[in-house]
Amino acid sequence: MSFDEVIARSKAACEALSDEDDGLKREVLAHAGNRWSLGIVYALAVSGTLRHAELARRLDGVTQRMLTRSLRQLERDGLIVRRDHQEVPPRVDYTLTALGRGLLAGMMPLGTWVIDNATSFRSARDRFDGHDSRDKR
Amino acid sequence: MSFDEVIARSKAACEALSDEDDGLKREVLAHAGNRWSLGIVYALAVSGTLRHAELARRLDGVTQRMLTRSLRQLERDGLIVRRDHQEVPPRVDYTLTALGRGLLAGMMPLGTWVIDNATSFRSARDRFDGHDSRDKR
DNA sequence: CAGCATCCCGTTTGATACTG
DNA sequence: CAGTATCAAACGGGATGCTG
């Protein structure tokens, strides 16, 4: 696809992201940049249904607090479903919704682009941070 | 594409975003969710080269401070080029790089997905926020 | 014109400890 | 086991005023 086509198709997207009812669309986009959201979605996409502790084991370095918060956010936007089995001891599991699977599919091109150009970002930063000496990252 | 294929292709992306040198890739992804980044990239994609004040006019509601900050971030990651003409009065303009055009292209699928499903997010939120009354954000 | 300084607020992320 | 409470740091975002 030519870049002109990209621009034309981006028009609706970029305008919708500025007009905006309230910023909901940008908040959904922000899931992409959030620390754990994408990892959670991916883990659920692979495994189908997971409990809190199982997710914690798969996401290296996540704390209970952040896992809970991230799950709430994803649930709020309809990307995952939280099912509380009302048992003792507690038993809660999470499943990806169709919407959540859509996020993963939509993220893919951007994700692979980021990976493909990782070295470009790295060198751009090194150049930038090198120019004025202080304040690295 | 089947969802199994999506998962398979997402594998590299999601793993690269967790291992991580330092989080650079996630920071680049975060540009998508940032308040002004995408709007700046789009404006430059359409117009080619713009000055600070011209960008400010195109981005409704942006303050000079946030515009400057956002431009710096994009410049740091190599998505735009800042050119200072060293004149009096000051004259500085910004241009999208090939990397920046790539961001827009990579963002497109995700952007259109968000728009297509905006009503789903809306209703999911209303349902969620309705359940436990407090904290409507 | 471009953008820096200052002060401000809310959110994200986090470590640690505690509860039903 | 799943989740909350508390405390703290860093960051995004903004309003206002000043400078070369």
Side-chain angles (χ1 to χ4, degrees):
Chain A
M1 195 193 316
S2 78
F3 187 57
D4 284 342
E5 288 180 84
V6 171
I7 291 180
R9 298 210 198 173
S10 301
K11 194 167 185 294
C14 292
E15 284 174 358
L17 291 170
S18 4
D19 302 343
E20 207 59 42
D21 29 37
D22 53 347
L24 193 156
K25 300 194 196 74
R26 214 176 338 95
E27 285 177 40
V28 174
L29 275 185
H31 284 310
N34 284 347
R35 184 75 183 83
W36 305 109
S37 302
L38 192 56
I40 291 171
V41 170
Y42 175 67
L44 292 177
V46 172
S47 304
T49 295
L50 291 171
R51 301 179 60 179
H52 184 103
E54 293 171 327
L55 273 167
R57 228 169 293 124
R58 276 172 175 74
L59 301 172
D60 196 52
V62 72
T63 58
Q64 291 158 345
R65 172 180 148 79
M66 286 317 299
L67 181 53
T68 301
R69 286 184 57 127
S70 303
L71 287 167
R72 286 288 178 286
Q73 291 177 2
L74 292 171
E75 184 195 2
R76 190 158 99 101
D77 289 341
L79 303 174
I80 65 175
V81 169
R82 175 182 188 275
R83 205 171 27 176
D84 187 340
H85 294 263
Q86 303 286 2
E87 297 174 0
V88 194
R91 178 178 155 78
V92 180
D93 52 39
Y94 299 88
T95 311
L96 211 56
T97 63
L99 211 53
R101 286 190 290 274
L103 173 68
L104 199 62
M107 272 290 306
M108 228 187 36
L110 186 57
T112 56
W113 173 79
V114 170
I115 292 170
D116 291 346
N117 294 279
T119 58
S120 302
F121 303 138
R122 177 83 282 152
S123 59
R125 282 217 174 174
D126 290 344
R127 210 175 315 125
F128 186 92
D129 294 346
H131 281 179
D132 72 339
S133 44
R134 78 215 177 293
D135 182 41
K136 303 249 188 289
R137 96 165 269 99
Chain B
M1 193 192 319
S2 77
F3 187 58
D4 283 343
E5 287 179 85
V6 171
I7 291 180
R9 297 211 199 172
S10 302
K11 193 166 187 292
C14 293
E15 284 173 358
L17 292 170
S18 10
D19 300 344
E20 206 59 44
D21 29 36
D22 53 345
L24 193 156
K25 299 194 196 75
R26 214 178 336 96
E27 286 177 41
V28 174
L29 277 184
H31 285 309
N34 284 348
R35 183 76 183 81
W36 304 109
S37 301
L38 192 56
I40 292 172
V41 169
Y42 175 68
L44 292 176
V46 171
S47 304
T49 295
L50 290 171
R51 300 179 60 180
H52 184 103
E54 294 170 327
L55 273 167
R57 228 169 294 126
R58 275 173 175 73
L59 302 172
D60 196 54
V62 73
T63 58
Q64 290 158 346
R65 173 182 145 80
M66 285 317 298
L67 181 53
T68 301
R69 282 180 56 135
S70 303
L71 286 167
R72 286 287 177 288
Q73 289 178 4
L74 292 171
E75 184 194 1
R76 191 159 97 104
D77 289 341
L79 302 175
I80 65 175
V81 170
R82 175 182 189 275
R83 204 170 26 173
D84 187 339
H85 293 262
Q86 304 286 0
E87 297 175 1
V88 194
R91 178 178 154 80
V92 181
D93 53 39
Y94 299 88
T95 311
L96 211 56
T97 63
L99 211 53
R101 286 189 289 276
L103 172 67
L104 199 62
M107 272 290 305
M108 229 187 34
L110 186 57
T112 56
W113 173 80
V114 170
I115 292 170
D116 291 345
N117 295 278
T119 59
S120 301
F121 303 139
R122 176 85 282 151
S123 59
R125 282 215 175 175
D126 291 344
R127 210 176 316 125
F128 185 92
D129 293 347
H131 280 180
D132 70 340
S133 46
R134 74 208 181 297
D135 185 41
K136 299 252 190 281
R137 93 156 276 98

CSV table of all heavy atoms in Angstrom, one decimal, chain B residues 5-63:
chain,number,residue,atom,x,y,z
B,5,GLU,N,-3.5,-18.2,13.9
B,5,GLU,CA,-2.4,-17.5,13.2
B,5,GLU,C,-2.0,-16.3,13.9
B,5,GLU,O,-0.8,-15.9,14.0
B,5,GLU,CB,-2.8,-17.3,11.8
B,5,GLU,CG,-2.8,-18.5,10.9
B,5,GLU,CD,-3.2,-18.1,9.5
B,5,GLU,OE1,-2.3,-17.7,8.7
B,5,GLU,OE2,-4.4,-18.2,9.2
B,6,VAL,N,-3.0,-15.5,14.3
B,6,VAL,CA,-2.8,-14.3,15.1
B,6,VAL,C,-1.9,-14.5,16.3
B,6,VAL,O,-0.9,-13.9,16.6
B,6,VAL,CB,-4.1,-13.6,15.5
B,6,VAL,CG1,-3.8,-12.4,16.4
B,6,VAL,CG2,-4.8,-13.1,14.3
B,7,ILE,N,-2.3,-15.6,17.0
B,7,ILE,CA,-1.5,-15.9,18.2
B,7,ILE,C,-0.1,-16.2,17.9
B,7,ILE,O,0.8,-15.7,18.5
B,7,ILE,CB,-2.2,-17.2,18.9
B,7,ILE,CG1,-3.5,-16.8,19.5
B,7,ILE,CG2,-1.3,-17.7,20.0
B,7,ILE,CD1,-4.2,-17.9,20.3
B,8,ALA,N,0.1,-17.1,16.9
B,8,ALA,CA,1.4,-17.5,16.5
B,8,ALA,C,2.3,-16.3,16.1
B,8,ALA,O,3.4,-16.1,16.6
B,8,ALA,CB,1.4,-18.4,15.3
B,9,ARG,N,1.7,-15.3,15.4
B,9,ARG,CA,2.5,-14.2,15.0
B,9,ARG,C,2.6,-13.2,16.1
B,9,ARG,O,3.6,-12.4,16.1
B,9,ARG,CB,1.7,-13.4,13.8
B,9,ARG,CG,1.6,-14.3,12.6
B,9,ARG,CD,1.6,-13.5,11.4
B,9,ARG,NE,1.0,-14.2,10.2
B,9,ARG,CZ,0.8,-13.7,9.0
B,9,ARG,NH1,1.0,-12.4,8.9
B,9,ARG,NH2,0.3,-14.4,8.1
B,10,SER,N,1.7,-13.2,17.1
B,10,SER,CA,1.9,-12.3,18.2
B,10,SER,C,2.9,-12.8,19.2
B,10,SER,O,3.4,-12.0,20.0
B,10,SER,CB,0.5,-12.2,19.0
B,10,SER,OG,-0.5,-11.8,18.1
B,11,LYS,N,3.3,-14.0,19.1
B,11,LYS,CA,4.2,-14.6,20.0
B,11,LYS,C,5.5,-13.8,20.2
B,11,LYS,O,5.9,-13.3,21.2
B,11,LYS,CB,4.6,-16.0,19.6
B,11,LYS,CG,5.3,-16.9,20.7
B,11,LYS,CD,5.3,-18.3,20.3
B,11,LYS,CE,5.8,-19.2,21.4
B,11,LYS,NZ,7.3,-19.0,21.7
B,12,ALA,N,6.2,-13.6,19.0
B,12,ALA,CA,7.4,-12.8,19.0
B,12,ALA,C,7.2,-11.4,19.6
B,12,ALA,O,8.0,-11.0,20.5
B,12,ALA,CB,8.0,-12.7,17.6
B,13,ALA,N,6.1,-10.8,19.2
B,13,ALA,CA,5.8,-9.4,19.7
B,13,ALA,C,5.7,-9.4,21.2
B,13,ALA,O,6.4,-8.6,21.9
B,13,ALA,CB,4.6,-8.9,19.0
B,14,CYS,N,4.9,-10.3,21.7
B,14,CYS,CA,4.6,-10.2,23.2
B,14,CYS,C,5.8,-10.6,24.0
B,14,CYS,O,6.0,-10.1,25.1
B,14,CYS,CB,3.4,-11.1,23.5
B,14,CYS,SG,1.9,-10.5,22.8
B,15,GLU,N,6.6,-11.6,23.4
B,15,GLU,CA,7.8,-12.0,24.2
B,15,GLU,C,8.8,-10.8,24.2
B,15,GLU,O,9.5,-10.5,25.2
B,15,GLU,CB,8.4,-13.2,23.6
B,15,GLU,CG,7.6,-14.5,24.0
B,15,GLU,CD,8.1,-15.7,23.3
B,15,GLU,OE1,9.0,-15.6,22.4
B,15,GLU,OE2,7.5,-16.8,23.5
B,16,ALA,N,9.0,-10.2,23.0
B,16,ALA,CA,9.9,-9.1,22.9
B,16,ALA,C,9.6,-8.0,23.8
B,16,ALA,O,10.4,-7.2,24.3
B,16,ALA,CB,10.0,-8.6,21.4
B,17,LEU,N,8.3,-7.8,24.0
B,17,LEU,CA,7.8,-6.7,24.9
B,17,LEU,C,7.9,-7.0,26.4
B,17,LEU,O,7.8,-6.2,27.2
B,17,LEU,CB,6.4,-6.4,24.6
B,17,LEU,CG,6.2,-5.7,23.2
B,17,LEU,CD1,4.7,-5.6,22.8
B,17,LEU,CD2,6.8,-4.4,23.1
B,18,SER,N,8.2,-8.3,26.7
B,18,SER,CA,8.4,-8.6,28.1
B,18,SER,C,9.9,-8.8,28.5
B,18,SER,O,10.4,-8.2,29.5
B,18,SER,CB,7.6,-9.9,28.5
B,18,SER,OG,7.2,-10.5,27.3
B,19,ASP,N,10.6,-9.6,27.7
B,19,ASP,CA,12.1,-9.7,27.9
B,19,ASP,C,12.7,-8.3,28.1
B,19,ASP,O,12.9,-7.9,29.2
B,19,ASP,CB,12.8,-10.3,26.7
B,19,ASP,CG,12.3,-11.7,26.4
B,19,ASP,OD1,11.5,-12.3,27.2
B,19,ASP,OD2,12.6,-12.2,25.3
B,20,GLU,N,12.9,-7.7,27.0
B,20,GLU,CA,13.2,-6.3,27.0
B,20,GLU,C,14.6,-5.9,27.5
B,20,GLU,O,15.0,-6.3,28.6
B,20,GLU,CB,12.2,-5.6,27.8
B,20,GLU,CG,12.0,-4.2,27.4
B,20,GLU,CD,11.6,-4.2,25.9
B,20,GLU,OE1,10.7,-5.0,25.5
B,20,GLU,OE2,12.2,-3.4,25.1
B,21,ASP,N,15.2,-5.2,26.6
B,21,ASP,CA,16.4,-4.5,27.1
B,21,ASP,C,16.1,-3.6,28.2
B,21,ASP,O,16.6,-3.7,29.3
B,21,ASP,CB,17.0,-3.7,25.9
B,21,ASP,CG,15.9,-3.2,24.9
B,21,ASP,OD1,14.8,-2.9,25.4
B,21,ASP,OD2,16.1,-3.3,23.7
B,22,ASP,N,15.2,-2.6,28.0
B,22,ASP,CA,14.9,-1.6,29.0
B,22,ASP,C,13.5,-1.0,28.9
B,22,ASP,O,13.1,-0.2,29.7
B,22,ASP,CB,15.9,-0.5,28.8
B,22,ASP,CG,15.9,0.0,27.3
B,22,ASP,OD1,15.3,-0.7,26.5
B,22,ASP,OD2,16.4,1.1,27.1
B,23,GLY,N,12.7,-1.5,28.0
B,23,GLY,CA,11.3,-1.0,27.9
B,23,GLY,C,11.2,0.0,26.8
B,23,GLY,O,10.1,0.6,26.6
B,24,LEU,N,12.2,0.1,26.0
B,24,LEU,CA,12.1,1.1,24.8
B,24,LEU,C,11.0,0.7,23.9
B,24,LEU,O,10.2,1.6,23.5
B,24,LEU,CB,13.4,1.0,24.1
B,24,LEU,CG,13.7,2.1,23.1
B,24,LEU,CD1,15.2,2.3,22.8
B,24,LEU,CD2,13.0,1.9,21.7
B,25,LYS,N,10.8,-0.5,23.6
B,25,LYS,CA,9.7,-0.9,22.7
B,25,LYS,C,8.3,-0.5,23.2
B,25,LYS,O,7.5,-0.1,22.5
B,25,LYS,CB,9.8,-2.4,22.4
B,25,LYS,CG,11.1,-2.8,21.7
B,25,LYS,CD,10.9,-4.2,21.1
B,25,LYS,CE,12.3,-4.8,20.8
B,25,LYS,NZ,13.0,-5.3,22.1
B,26,ARG,N,8.2,-0.7,24.5
B,26,ARG,CA,6.9,-0.4,25.1
B,26,ARG,C,6.7,1.1,25.1
B,26,ARG,O,5.6,1.6,24.9
B,26,ARG,CB,6.7,-0.9,26.5
B,26,ARG,CG,5.3,-1.3,26.8
B,26,ARG,CD,5.2,-1.9,28.2
B,26,ARG,NE,6.4,-2.5,28.7
B,26,ARG,CZ,7.2,-1.9,29.5
B,26,ARG,NH1,6.9,-0.7,29.9
B,26,ARG,NH2,8.3,-2.5,29.9
B,27,GLU,N,7.8,1.9,25.3
B,27,GLU,CA,7.7,3.3,25.3
B,27,GLU,C,7.3,3.8,23.9
B,27,GLU,O,6.5,4.8,23.7
B,27,GLU,CB,9.0,3.9,25.7
B,27,GLU,CG,9.2,3.8,27.2
B,27,GLU,CD,10.6,4.4,27.6
B,27,GLU,OE1,11.0,5.4,27.0
B,27,GLU,OE2,11.3,3.8,28.4
B,28,VAL,N,7.8,3.1,22.9
B,28,VAL,CA,7.4,3.5,21.5
B,28,VAL,C,5.9,3.2,21.3
B,28,VAL,O,5.2,4.0,20.7
B,28,VAL,CB,8.2,2.8,20.4
B,28,VAL,CG1,7.7,3.1,19.0
B,28,VAL,CG2,9.7,3.2,20.6
B,29,LEU,N,5.5,2.0,21.8
B,29,LEU,CA,4.1,1.7,21.7
B,29,LEU,C,3.2,2.7,22.4
B,29,LEU,O,2.1,3.0,22.0
B,29,LEU,CB,3.8,0.3,22.3
B,29,LEU,CG,4.1,-0.9,21.4
B,29,LEU,CD1,3.6,-2.2,22.1
B,29,LEU,CD2,3.3,-0.8,20.1
B,30,ALA,N,3.7,3.2,23.5
B,30,ALA,CA,3.0,4.2,24.3
B,30,ALA,C,2.7,5.5,23.5
B,30,ALA,O,1.7,6.2,23.9
B,30,ALA,CB,3.7,4.5,25.6
B,31,HIS,N,3.4,5.8,22.5
B,31,HIS,CA,3.1,7.0,21.7
B,31,HIS,C,1.7,6.9,21.2
B,31,HIS,O,1.0,7.9,21.0
B,31,HIS,CB,4.1,7.1,20.5
B,31,HIS,CG,5.5,7.5,20.9
B,31,HIS,ND1,5.7,8.6,21.6
B,31,HIS,CD2,6.7,7.0,20.6
B,31,HIS,CE1,7.0,8.8,21.8
B,31,HIS,NE2,7.6,7.8,21.2
B,32,ALA,N,1.3,5.7,20.9
B,32,ALA,CA,-0.1,5.5,20.4
B,32,ALA,C,-1.1,6.0,21.4
B,32,ALA,O,-2.1,6.6,21.0
B,32,ALA,CB,-0.4,4.0,20.1
B,33,GLY,N,-0.9,5.8,22.7
B,33,GLY,CA,-1.9,6.2,23.7
B,33,GLY,C,-1.7,7.6,24.2
B,33,GLY,O,-2.5,8.2,24.9
B,34,ASN,N,-0.6,8.2,23.8
B,34,ASN,CA,-0.3,9.6,24.3
B,34,ASN,C,-1.2,10.6,23.7
B,34,ASN,O,-1.7,10.4,22.5
B,34,ASN,CB,1.2,10.0,24.0
B,34,ASN,CG,2.1,9.3,25.0
B,34,ASN,OD1,1.6,8.7,26.0
B,34,ASN,ND2,3.4,9.4,24.8
B,35,ARG,N,-1.5,11.6,24.4
B,35,ARG,CA,-2.5,12.6,24.1
B,35,ARG,C,-2.3,13.3,22.7
B,35,ARG,O,-3.3,13.5,21.9
B,35,ARG,CB,-2.5,13.7,25.1
B,35,ARG,CG,-3.6,14.8,25.0
B,35,ARG,CD,-4.9,14.3,25.3
B,35,ARG,NE,-6.0,15.3,25.1
B,35,ARG,CZ,-6.5,15.5,23.9
B,35,ARG,NH1,-6.1,14.8,22.9
B,35,ARG,NH2,-7.4,16.4,23.8
B,36,TRP,N,-1.1,13.6,22.3
B,36,TRP,CA,-0.9,14.4,21.1
B,36,TRP,C,0.0,13.8,20.0
B,36,TRP,O,0.0,14.2,18.9
B,36,TRP,CB,-0.2,15.8,21.5
B,36,TRP,CG,-1.0,16.5,22.5
B,36,TRP,CD1,-0.6,16.7,23.8
B,36,TRP,CD2,-2.3,17.2,22.3
B,36,TRP,NE1,-1.6,17.5,24.4
B,36,TRP,CE2,-2.6,17.7,23.5
B,36,TRP,CE3,-3.1,17.3,21.2
B,36,TRP,CZ2,-3.8,18.4,23.7
B,36,TRP,CZ3,-4.3,18.0,21.4
B,36,TRP,CH2,-4.6,18.5,22.6
B,37,SER,N,0.7,12.7,20.4
B,37,SER,CA,1.7,12.1,19.5
B,37,SER,C,1.1,11.7,18.1
B,37,SER,O,1.6,12.1,17.1
B,37,SER,CB,2.3,10.9,20.1
B,37,SER,OG,2.9,11.2,21.4
B,38,LEU,N,0.0,11.0,18.2
B,38,LEU,CA,-0.6,10.5,16.9
B,38,LEU,C,-1.1,11.7,16.1
B,38,LEU,O,-0.9,11.7,14.8
B,38,LEU,CB,-1.7,9.5,17.2
B,38,LEU,CG,-2.2,8.8,16.0
B,38,LEU,CD1,-1.1,8.0,15.3
B,38,LEU,CD2,-3.3,7.8,16.4
B,39,GLY,N,-1.7,12.7,16.7
B,39,GLY,CA,-2.1,13.8,16.0
B,39,GLY,C,-1.0,14.6,15.3
B,39,GLY,O,-1.1,15.0,14.1
B,40,ILE,N,0.1,14.7,16.0
B,40,ILE,CA,1.3,15.3,15.4
B,40,ILE,C,1.8,14.6,14.2
B,40,ILE,O,2.0,15.1,13.1
B,40,ILE,CB,2.4,15.4,16.4
B,40,ILE,CG1,2.1,16.4,17.5
B,40,ILE,CG2,3.7,15.9,15.8
B,40,ILE,CD1,3.0,16.4,18.7
B,41,VAL,N,1.9,13.3,14.4
B,41,VAL,CA,2.4,12.4,13.3
B,41,VAL,C,1.5,12.5,12.1
B,41,VAL,O,1.9,12.6,10.9
B,41,VAL,CB,2.5,10.9,13.7
B,41,VAL,CG1,2.8,10.0,12.5
B,41,VAL,CG2,3.7,10.8,14.7
B,42,TYR,N,0.2,12.5,12.3
B,42,TYR,CA,-0.8,12.6,11.2
B,42,TYR,C,-0.7,13.9,10.5
B,42,TYR,O,-0.7,14.0,9.3
B,42,TYR,CB,-2.2,12.3,11.7
B,42,TYR,CG,-3.2,12.5,10.7
B,42,TYR,CD1,-3.3,11.6,9.6
B,42,TYR,CD2,-4.1,13.6,10.7
B,42,TYR,CE1,-4.2,11.8,8.6
B,42,TYR,CE2,-5.0,13.8,9.7
B,42,TYR,CZ,-5.1,12.9,8.6
B,42,TYR,OH,-6.0,13.1,7.6
B,43,ALA,N,-0.6,15.0,11.3
B,43,ALA,CA,-0.5,16.3,10.7
B,43,ALA,C,0.7,16.5,9.8
B,43,ALA,O,0.6,17.0,8.7
B,43,ALA,CB,-0.5,17.4,11.8
B,44,LEU,N,1.8,15.9,10.3
B,44,LEU,CA,3.0,16.0,9.5
B,44,LEU,C,2.9,15.1,8.3
B,44,LEU,O,3.5,15.4,7.2
B,44,LEU,CB,4.2,15.6,10.3
B,44,LEU,CG,4.6,16.6,11.4
B,44,LEU,CD1,5.8,16.0,12.3
B,44,LEU,CD2,4.9,17.9,10.9
B,45,ALA,N,2.2,13.9,8.4
B,45,ALA,CA,2.1,13.0,7.3
B,45,ALA,C,1.3,13.7,6.2
B,45,ALA,O,1.6,13.5,5.0
B,45,ALA,CB,1.4,11.8,7.7
B,46,VAL,N,0.3,14.5,6.5
B,46,VAL,CA,-0.5,15.2,5.6
B,46,VAL,C,0.2,16.4,4.9
B,46,VAL,O,0.2,16.6,3.7
B,46,VAL,CB,-1.8,15.7,6.2
B,46,VAL,CG1,-2.6,16.5,5.2
B,46,VAL,CG2,-2.7,14.5,6.6
B,47,SER,N,0.9,17.2,5.8
B,47,SER,CA,1.4,18.4,5.3
B,47,SER,C,2.9,18.4,5.0
B,47,SER,O,3.4,19.4,4.5
B,47,SER,CB,1.1,19.5,6.4
B,47,SER,OG,-0.3,19.6,6.6
B,48,GLY,N,3.5,17.4,5.3
B,48,GLY,CA,5.0,17.3,5.0
B,48,GLY,C,5.9,17.9,6.0
B,48,GLY,O,6.6,17.3,6.7
B,49,THR,N,5.8,19.3,6.1
B,49,THR,CA,6.7,20.0,7.0
B,49,THR,C,5.9,21.1,7.7
B,49,THR,O,5.2,21.8,6.9
B,49,THR,CB,7.9,20.6,6.3
B,49,THR,OG1,8.7,19.5,5.9
B,49,THR,CG2,8.7,21.4,7.3
B,50,LEU,N,6.0,21.2,9.0
B,50,LEU,CA,5.2,22.3,9.7
B,50,LEU,C,6.0,22.9,10.7
B,50,LEU,O,6.9,22.3,11.3
B,50,LEU,CB,3.9,21.6,10.3
B,50,LEU,CG,2.8,21.2,9.3
B,50,LEU,CD1,1.8,20.4,10.1
B,50,LEU,CD2,2.2,22.3,8.6
B,51,ARG,N,5.7,24.2,11.0
B,51,ARG,CA,6.4,24.9,12.1
B,51,ARG,C,5.6,24.7,13.4
B,51,ARG,O,4.4,24.3,13.3
B,51,ARG,CB,6.5,26.4,11.7
B,51,ARG,CG,7.2,26.6,10.5
B,51,ARG,CD,7.3,28.1,10.2
B,51,ARG,NE,7.9,28.9,11.2
B,51,ARG,CZ,8.1,30.2,11.2
B,51,ARG,NH1,7.7,30.9,10.2
B,51,ARG,NH2,8.7,30.8,12.2
B,52,HIS,N,6.2,25.0,14.5
B,52,HIS,CA,5.6,24.9,15.8
B,52,HIS,C,4.2,25.5,15.8
B,52,HIS,O,3.2,24.8,16.2
B,52,HIS,CB,6.5,25.6,16.8
B,52,HIS,CG,6.0,25.4,18.2
B,52,HIS,ND1,6.6,24.5,19.1
B,52,HIS,CD2,5.0,26.0,18.9
B,52,HIS,CE1,6.0,24.6,20.3
B,52,HIS,NE2,5.0,25.5,20.2
B,53,ALA,N,4.1,26.7,15.4
B,53,ALA,CA,2.8,27.4,15.5
B,53,ALA,C,1.7,26.8,14.6
B,53,ALA,O,0.5,26.8,14.9
B,53,ALA,CB,3.0,28.9,15.1
B,54,GLU,N,2.2,26.3,13.4
B,54,GLU,CA,1.3,25.7,12.5
B,54,GLU,C,0.7,24.4,13.1
B,54,GLU,O,-0.5,24.1,13.0
B,54,GLU,CB,2.0,25.4,11.2
B,54,GLU,CG,2.4,26.7,10.4
B,54,GLU,CD,3.3,26.4,9.2
B,54,GLU,OE1,4.1,25.4,9.3
B,54,GLU,OE2,3.2,27.1,8.2
B,55,LEU,N,1.6,23.7,13.7
B,55,LEU,CA,1.1,22.4,14.4
B,55,LEU,C,0.1,22.8,15.5
B,55,LEU,O,-0.9,22.1,15.7
B,55,LEU,CB,2.3,21.7,15.0
B,55,LEU,CG,3.1,20.7,14.0
B,55,LEU,CD1,4.4,20.3,14.6
B,55,LEU,CD2,2.2,19.5,13.8
B,56,ALA,N,0.5,23.8,16.3
B,56,ALA,CA,-0.4,24.2,17.4
B,56,ALA,C,-1.8,24.5,16.9
B,56,ALA,O,-2.8,24.2,17.5
B,56,ALA,CB,0.2,25.4,18.1
B,57,ARG,N,-1.9,25.1,15.7
B,57,ARG,CA,-3.2,25.5,15.1
B,57,ARG,C,-3.9,24.3,14.7
B,57,ARG,O,-5.2,24.2,14.8
B,57,ARG,CB,-2.9,26.4,13.9
B,57,ARG,CG,-3.8,27.7,13.9
B,57,ARG,CD,-3.4,28.7,12.8
B,57,ARG,NE,-2.0,29.2,13.1
B,57,ARG,CZ,-1.0,29.2,12.3
B,57,ARG,NH1,-1.2,28.6,11.1
B,57,ARG,NH2,0.2,29.7,12.6
B,58,ARG,N,-3.2,23.2,14.2
B,58,ARG,CA,-3.9,22.0,13.8
B,58,ARG,C,-4.4,21.1,14.9
B,58,ARG,O,-5.3,20.4,14.8
B,58,ARG,CB,-3.0,21.2,12.9
B,58,ARG,CG,-3.0,21.7,11.4
B,58,ARG,CD,-1.9,21.0,10.6
B,58,ARG,NE,-2.0,21.3,9.2
B,58,ARG,CZ,-1.6,22.5,8.7
B,58,ARG,NH1,-1.2,23.4,9.5
B,58,ARG,NH2,-1.7,22.7,7.4
B,59,LEU,N,-3.7,21.2,16.0
B,59,LEU,CA,-4.0,20.3,17.2
B,59,LEU,C,-4.8,21.1,18.2
B,59,LEU,O,-4.3,21.9,18.9
B,59,LEU,CB,-2.7,19.8,17.8
B,59,LEU,CG,-1.8,19.0,16.9
B,59,LEU,CD1,-0.5,18.7,17.6
B,59,LEU,CD2,-2.5,17.7,16.5
B,60,ASP,N,-6.1,20.8,18.1
B,60,ASP,CA,-7.0,21.6,18.9
B,60,ASP,C,-6.8,21.4,20.4
B,60,ASP,O,-6.9,20.3,20.9
B,60,ASP,CB,-8.5,21.3,18.5
B,60,ASP,CG,-9.5,22.3,19.0
B,60,ASP,OD1,-9.3,23.5,18.7
B,60,ASP,OD2,-10.4,21.9,19.7
B,61,GLY,N,-6.5,22.5,21.1
B,61,GLY,CA,-6.4,22.4,22.5
B,61,GLY,C,-5.0,22.2,23.1
B,61,GLY,O,-4.8,22.2,24.3
B,62,VAL,N,-4.1,22.0,22.2
B,62,VAL,CA,-2.7,21.7,22.7
B,62,VAL,C,-2.1,23.0,23.3
B,62,VAL,O,-2.3,24.1,22.7
B,62,VAL,CB,-1.8,21.1,21.6
B,62,VAL,CG1,-1.5,22.2,20.6
B,62,VAL,CG2,-0.6,20.5,22.2
B,63,THR,N,-1.3,22.9,24.3
B,63,THR,CA,-0.6,24.0,24.8
B,63,THR,C,0.9,24.0,24.2
B,63,THR,O,1.3,22.9,23.8
B,63,THR,CB,-0.5,24.0,26.4
B,63,THR,OG1,0.2,22.8,26.8
B,63,THR,CG2,-1.8,24.1,27.0
